Amino acid sequence: MAAPVTPAARPEESEAALNAALADMPELARLLEIDPYLKPYAVDFQRRYKQFSQILKNIGENEGGIDKFSRGYESFGVHRCADGGLYCKEWAPGAEGVFLTGDFNGWNPFSYPYKKLDYGKWELYIPPKQNKSVLVPHGSKLKVVITSKSGEILYRISPWAKYVVREGDNVNYDWIHWDPEHSYEFQHSRPKKPRSLRIYESHVGISSHEGKVASYKHFTCNVLPRIKGLGYNCIQLMAIMEHAYYASFGYQITSFFAASSRYGTPEELQELVDTAHSMGIIVLLDVVHSHASKNSADGLNMFDGTDSCYFHSGPRGTHDLWDSRLFAYSSWEVLRFLLSNIRWWLEEYRFDGFRFDGVTSMLYHHHGVGQGFSGDYSEYFGLQVDEDALTYLMLANHLVHTLCPDSITIAEDVSGMPALCSPISQGGGGFDYRLAMAIPDKWIQLLKEFKDEDWNMGDIVYTLTNRRYLEKCIAYAESHDQALVGDKSLAFWLMDAEMYTNMSVLTPFTPVIDRGIQLHKMIRLITHGLGGEGYLNFMGNEFGHPEWLDFPRRGNNESYHYARRQFHLTDDDLLRYKFLNNFDRDMNRLEERCGWLAAPQAYVSEKHEGNKIIAFERAGLLFIFNFHPSKSYTDYRVGTALPGKFKIVLDSDAAEYGGHQRLDHSTDFFSEAFEHNGRPYSLLVYIPSRVALILQNMDLLN
């Protein structure tokens, strides 16, 4: 196998081209200063930025600016007018005719025709009744009727529908006209952007221990207090945008403007967000603009009778692996639709930002399928990049941060595209964070393929610290991906079947449970402390949830047994799950107090392969990990940058965390001017086997 081509192997762009790029984008110089290896690609950044700027300019000239352009939901769809009438508008460029039907007209398909406008748009005004009341009342069912050029009559849900439901045994969703007399009134303002982001990745439907779909109300009353108590300051809500297939985990969207009705009403979701804000918790939406469901009866697909409309026509418009449709990001009306969708969730529901799903699929024409991404810079530039999709992401980030400067955007990108999380003004993508997706893969690999004594400390440190300078990462030991059926959570890799039989505090530790509980804590803490500028945990995994996640589907006889979270297990004082829960809580609370996620990247002073010791400093704290399965060390010398007295502030071996209490927390540790591992001071510490410690310099607190 040939060695990958390095950036320097690509012919240098001329000095004139580089100067032209810098003239167009003065702040590009900062990006190239941070990473000089990007210089050969200056013209690529210039072209991307010019495309972004030109579309923004065109929006300004033709639509009155992005502020107005992103309010598409105020005119498209069905709206009550001040006079009691209804204004209806759709974009259906491939339609021969467009009509509105529903309960209000006895489902006569053609009695209310839309008028054709320019650019594939259609509009309809329905006057009020004689008593000035609306003809289409709140809660009634509607359908858009499309007559195609081939003569078909198609019944469709408006792409702008705000509420859809599936009743009884119906296969398809129904569009419900949602126009309540009184809208929800938010009581609490958005919390300030946290300096450190600690995310609790959540799914409303599985948040109960019962075998059913849980509600927004249940989550608000029962789960939000847990999240607050655990020290998380951010919730990432999955599966909110309406999806017909529950088992898709919310990743096959059918109605982009509708909050999923399976959990309750729009007002109940607004109450959830409002209540989180009252607790000082920000709420991010898992937004899926990378693809859409293939459903046509209750989705966007074939809306106007053609395979294009919102999507690319032909093979380019289909993701073969996901069996879904792909947006045509260069289309003016698709941009209006997606940018309006971003604004809708920010303003209607007061979300505080987004985790963008499937960004790798968007960025490349190959969608990342079959690509290893070696890190060779040439993989991130050239014809394989879908610059229309990248421009859309830049526009979305520009809009989000213009509307709400404190908003947060996170990219789910496995490729590691340079500058994705750099400012747009530098030619970057404008995201605030990217997910550090290599970290959970590394932990799974270690547990699956290596004995504990063969773990490579240098490899662990490299994986946790390998991120682009000044581009922030969200670190995580595991997310929902690792909890799904077909994979195993970390707790399951560590303890497997013994989780069902040996988690009682009334029975002695077995070797498997002891190892599992100790490593579960250590893996989380080192990921939290070393892996990024934010941290994420999937709901229930903090206490080692004993079962994977599997939604009801034909393959499991539509069972809800694994589509739930058994929070009651951690409330049971007789079970060891409480120990993991306590450690997760105190780890987050210590971070809140000391702010290591917001601090510069850690300085790693030791990664000793024989001793299995890792030591690093961050935010004035000294982190020490002994991954050795059996060896404890007395008077182990650890380097530090600081003189003075140190005390233990977190100890995974403490009794309240299911440890063996081998350390005396009243002990004072004094560093001396004895250089060690490149640090000017050092101290001697007792480090038991399979223990993680955090020491704090007490002199800094005085």
Side-chain angles (χ1 to χ4, degrees):
M1 178 177 167
V5 179
T6 63
R10 173 174 163 165
E12 289 289 336
E13 302 290 346
S14 70
E15 197 69 27
L18 176 60
N19 290 336
L22 291 169
D24 279 348
M25 303 170 57
E27 291 189 44
L28 176 62
R30 175 59 178 149
L31 181 66
L32 302 184
E33 177 191 342
I34 294 166
D35 186 354
Y37 284 109
L38 289 174
K39 275 189 180 178
Y41 306 100
V43 292
D44 294 271
F45 287 111
Q46 178 192 29
R47 184 180 61 256
R48 293 171 180 182
Y49 183 77
K50 273 188 168 180
Q51 184 171 334
F52 160 79
S53 300
Q54 188 60 52
I55 292 177
L56 206 55
K57 182 183 175 186
N58 292 345
I59 289 172
E61 291 174 351
N62 296 290
E63 299 281 351
I66 197 168
D67 180 78
K68 189 176 176 184
F69 187 61
S70 61
R71 295 176 183 271
Y73 54 81
E74 292 181 355
S75 58
F76 285 87
V78 175
H79 301 273
R80 176 163 36 113
C81 304
D83 65 359
L86 283 182
Y87 180 73
C88 314
K89 190 176 182 181
E90 297 295 344
W91 178 61
E96 189 67 32
V98 180
F99 308 84
L100 188 72
T101 188
D103 294 336
F104 75 100
N105 71 342
W107 294 95
N108 182 324
F110 305 121
S111 62
Y112 284 90
Y114 285 65
K115 174 187 171 186
K116 190 172 186 178
L117 307 174
D118 293 335
Y119 308 112
K121 296 171 190 171
W122 303 76
E123 71 174 1
L124 165 66
Y125 173 72
I126 302 175
K129 295 179 181 178
Q130 285 187 341
N131 64 2
K132 300 298 182 184
S133 64
V134 290
L135 188 63
V136 182
H138 166 65
S140 58
K141 293 179 182 177
L142 293 173
K143 276 279 174 33
V144 174
V145 180
I146 304 281
T147 54
S148 72
K149 288 185 165 55
S150 63
E152 288 181 284
I153 299 171
L154 308 169
Y155 286 80
R156 297 287 188 251
I157 290 176
S158 170
W160 305 82
K162 298 171 187 173
Y163 193 63
V164 296
V165 299
R166 182 160 57 196
E167 296 181 343
D169 295 328
N170 290 355
V171 174
N172 297 319
Y173 274 75
D174 290 314
W175 171 21
I176 304 297
H177 179 53
W178 199 257
D179 186 24
E181 187 177 349
H182 302 290
S183 56
Y184 181 84
E185 292 187 16
F186 286 87
Q187 304 296 312
H188 305 279
S189 57
R190 300 175 189 269
K192 289 183 179 179
K193 184 178 182 178
R195 62 170 187 162
S196 298
L197 202 57
R198 300 183 300 275
I199 304 171
Y200 199 79
E201 186 182 34
S202 305
H203 185 293
V204 170
I206 66 167
S207 64
S208 164
H209 70 274
E210 298 178 70
K212 65 177 186 180
V213 178
S215 67
Y216 295 124
K217 282 277 190 187
H218 171 85
F219 191 93
T220 301
C221 297
N222 297 283
V223 184
L224 282 182
R226 287 185 182 275
I227 296 170
K228 175 68 174 174
L230 282 166
Y232 291 92
N233 57 17
C234 176
I235 303 166
Q236 181 181 299
L237 280 183
M238 312 173 64
I240 294 297
M241 302 166 75
E242 191 61 273
H243 47 292
Y245 186 42
Y246 191 43
S248 78
F249 219 148
Y251 292 120
Q252 295 272 348
I253 307 300
T254 45
S255 290
F256 283 76
F257 286 83
S260 181
S261 60
R262 56 171 57 83
Y263 318 126
T265 65
E267 290 77 15
E268 288 165 345
L269 174 57
Q270 289 167 324
E271 181 188 30
L272 187 162
V273 175
D274 199 20
T275 306
H277 286 169
S278 76
M279 298 176 171
I281 297 171
I282 65 170
V283 189
L284 306 181
L285 177 70
D286 201 347
V287 71
V288 187
H289 283 179
S290 47
H291 63 133
S293 167
K294 265 189 171 178
N295 288 19
S296 55
D298 53 8
L300 282 185
N301 191 26
M302 304 289 290
F303 174 68
D304 65 354
T306 72
D307 79 331
S308 52
C309 198
Y310 288 93
F311 310 108
H312 290 294
S313 184
R316 190 183 173 191
T318 302
H319 195 300
D320 293 332
L321 203 62
W322 294 346
D323 194 32
S324 54
R325 298 302 316 273
L326 298 172
F327 287 105
Y329 298 105
S330 59
S331 164
W332 192 259
E333 292 303 324
V334 171
L335 284 179
R336 185 198 308 276
F337 180 79
L338 294 176
L339 291 173
S340 296
N341 192 234
I342 290 289
R343 185 176 194 134
W344 169 258
W345 294 105
L346 282 175
E347 299 208 336
E348 183 72 10
Y349 290 95
R350 302 270 184 99
F351 279 96
D352 301 290
F354 304 94
R355 178 261 202 188
F356 280 77
D357 177 69
V359 167
T360 306
S361 175
M362 298 172 73
L363 290 175
Y364 307 96
H365 292 294
H366 53 60
H367 308 303
V369 177
Q371 300 294 313
F373 293 109
S374 65
D376 174 357
Y377 276 23
S378 65
E379 296 169 341
Y380 308 118
F381 303 93
L383 295 177
Q384 67 265 37
V385 177
D386 187 339
E387 294 197 345
D388 291 333
L390 177 55
T391 301
Y392 162 66
L393 290 170
M394 293 167 75
L395 287 165
N397 277 308
H398 171 75
L399 176 66
V400 169
H401 294 109
T402 300
L403 290 174
C404 304
D406 272 355
S407 287
I408 291 168
T409 57
I410 302 170
E412 189 214 22
D413 170 43
V414 73
S415 77
M417 176 177 274
L420 190 63
C421 301
S422 297
I424 293 170
S425 56
Q426 294 179 6
F431 283 97
D432 295 295
Y433 298 88
R434 59 158 38 101
L435 292 176
M437 301 180 73
I439 295 176
D441 291 344
K442 176 55 63 180
W443 291 124
I444 295 295
Q445 181 196 28
L446 287 172
L447 293 173
K448 194 175 179 180
E449 300 176 12
F450 294 89
K451 295 177 181 177
D452 294 3
E453 55 268 30
D454 295 332
W455 285 18
N456 186 303
M457 299 296 103
D459 188 33
I460 291 172
V461 168
Y462 175 78
T463 303
L464 288 168
T465 57
N466 180 29
R467 52 191 186 272
R468 295 185 56 76
Y469 180 58
L470 295 184
E471 291 194 45
K472 294 179 181 177
C473 285
I474 302 293
Y476 58 107
E478 53 185 338
S479 69
H480 70 273
D481 285 326
Q482 287 72 40
L484 290 170
V485 67
D487 204 337
K488 288 183 184 180
S489 66
L490 289 183
F492 234 110
W493 279 112
L494 287 163
M495 296 177 276
D496 207 44
E498 286 202 27
M499 298 182 77
Y500 294 106
T501 56
N502 296 319
M503 287 295 274
S504 170
V505 297
L506 302 178
T507 60
F509 265 131
T510 65
V512 167
I513 295 297
D514 187 18
R515 169 184 179 263
I517 283 181
Q518 310 319 327
L519 285 179
H520 195 273
K521 293 176 290 187
M522 295 180 71
I523 287 169
R524 277 171 153 63
L525 181 58
I526 197 170
T527 301
H528 206 308
L530 193 57
E533 291 69 37
Y535 178 77
L536 178 142
N537 165 66
F538 178 64
M539 64 187 308
N541 284 8
E542 71 277 3
F543 65 85
H545 197 280
E547 292 176 342
W548 56 65
L549 186 61
D550 188 18
F551 287 87
R553 54 189 172 84
R554 192 175 298 168
N556 65 12
N557 295 317
E558 304 297 333
S559 170
Y560 282 87
H561 180 74
Y562 296 110
R564 61 195 181 116
R565 296 279 94 177
Q566 301 179 67
F567 288 111
H568 62 284
L569 294 175
T570 193
D571 298 332
D572 190 334
D573 271 343
L574 295 180
L575 295 177
R576 291 189 167 107
Y577 296 104
K578 66 179 181 181
F579 298 138
L580 300 179
N581 196 75
N582 292 345
F583 186 77
D584 196 74
R585 175 198 66 207
D586 291 350
M587 174 175 69
N588 283 324
R589 289 180 178 177
L590 183 61
E591 197 290 323
E592 173 67 20
R593 205 161 69 241
C594 301
W596 63 70
L597 290 170
Q601 196 162 330
Y603 182 91
V604 181
S605 61
E606 182 162 357
K607 39 191 175 180
H608 197 292
E609 299 303 339
N611 295 339
K612 301 301 176 195
I613 297 285
I614 294 172
F616 60 88
E617 293 167 279
R618 192 174 185 188
L621 300 172
L622 178 56
F623 293 73
I624 308 169
F625 295 80
N626 179 3
F627 280 99
H628 202 287
S630 58
K631 282 187 183 177
S632 298
Y633 304 99
T634 304
D635 290 341
Y636 196 93
R637 188 168 292 279
V638 181
T640 176
L642 300 169
K645 182 173 75 172
F646 289 76
K647 288 191 84 71
I648 296 171
V649 289
L650 189 65
D651 164 21
S652 68
D653 204 41
E656 60 265 37
Y657 311 138
H660 299 289
Q661 308 174 63
R662 287 169 287 179
L663 288 158
D664 181 357
H665 288 205
S666 66
T667 303
D668 294 331
F669 301 89
F670 292 91
S671 64
E672 53 186 323
F674 188 96
E675 190 274 338
H676 184 70
N677 284 340
R679 307 309 269 163
Y681 300 91
S682 60
L683 62 160
L684 298 174
V685 189
Y686 170 46
I687 317 173
S689 62
R690 286 201 182 119
V691 163
L693 295 174
I694 300 181
L695 304 181
Q696 187 168 27
N697 187 299
M698 306 313 289
D699 293 350
L700 290 178
L701 303 179
N702 299 330

